[in-house]
Amino acid sequence: MKNNLSIVLLMGIALSATSCASMFTGTKDKITFNSSPEGAKVFHKGVEKCITPCTAEISRALSKQTVTFEKEGFNTKEVKLTKTFNPVTLLNILFGGAIGVGIDAATGSLTKYSPKKYNVELEAQSTELK
């Protein structure tokens, strides 16, 4: 009887620990940004994250996410961040149920950013005189 109770208790703890991918993989990804030429400011949701070359933490979200590269004398360039399915979410489908999947959806942890490195060529602004 004592062994059965221990097994049930351990299974309960294990199942509750798999409540969401957010717990295991977090809600942000570290992404490396490079630009040619270097020294471009990288913005995400209007907030400056870093100056290239750099690595920044970007929050996950289910919606389309972009970063913008800005450098004086060069055209601004917007880049869409690509995402893939986060396989840890399968734990929720198997063990955590709708609540765990709902939490992952709300935090963006159903997906993760891939690739984790972006290289951008900036174009010089035209210097035509009128």
Side-chain angles (χ1 to χ4, degrees):
M1 182 71 174
K2 189 175 181 181
N3 276 345
N4 289 341
L5 184 58
S6 296
I7 290 171
V8 169
L9 184 60
L10 286 173
M11 286 183 67
I13 292 169
L15 290 176
S16 66
T18 59
S19 64
C20 59
S22 307
M23 289 174 44
F24 292 107
T25 61
T27 59
K28 298 178 181 181
D29 286 317
K30 288 186 179 182
I31 303 176
T32 300
F33 300 103
N34 293 300
S35 66
S36 179
E38 294 180 348
K41 293 179 181 179
V42 179
F43 292 89
H44 178 247
K45 295 183 177 180
V47 176
E48 183 179 332
K49 291 294 188 174
C50 59
I51 298 175
T52 62
C54 60
T55 300
E57 281 193 341
I58 305 294
S59 297
R60 293 183 192 146
L62 292 180
S63 61
K64 177 182 140 183
Q65 297 295 305
T66 59
V67 292
T68 305
F69 292 78
E70 293 181 6
K71 182 171 174 73
E72 191 172 324
F74 292 84
N75 294 327
T76 299
K77 185 154 190 178
E78 188 173 274
V79 175
K80 180 182 174 190
L81 300 177
T82 57
K83 297 178 270 188
T84 59
F85 178 72
N86 186 354
V88 177
T89 300
L90 294 175
L91 293 174
N92 281 337
I93 295 168
L94 296 174
F95 302 113
I99 293 172
V101 173
I103 292 170
D104 286 345
T107 62
S109 290
L110 290 175
T111 61
K112 61 183 180 175
Y113 293 113
S114 180
K116 301 269 196 236
K117 185 175 185 179
Y118 289 84
N119 298 309
V120 174
E121 287 281 331
L122 298 175
E123 295 178 15
Q125 290 177 340
S126 173
T127 57
E128 293 179 13
L129 297 174
K130 293 186 178 186

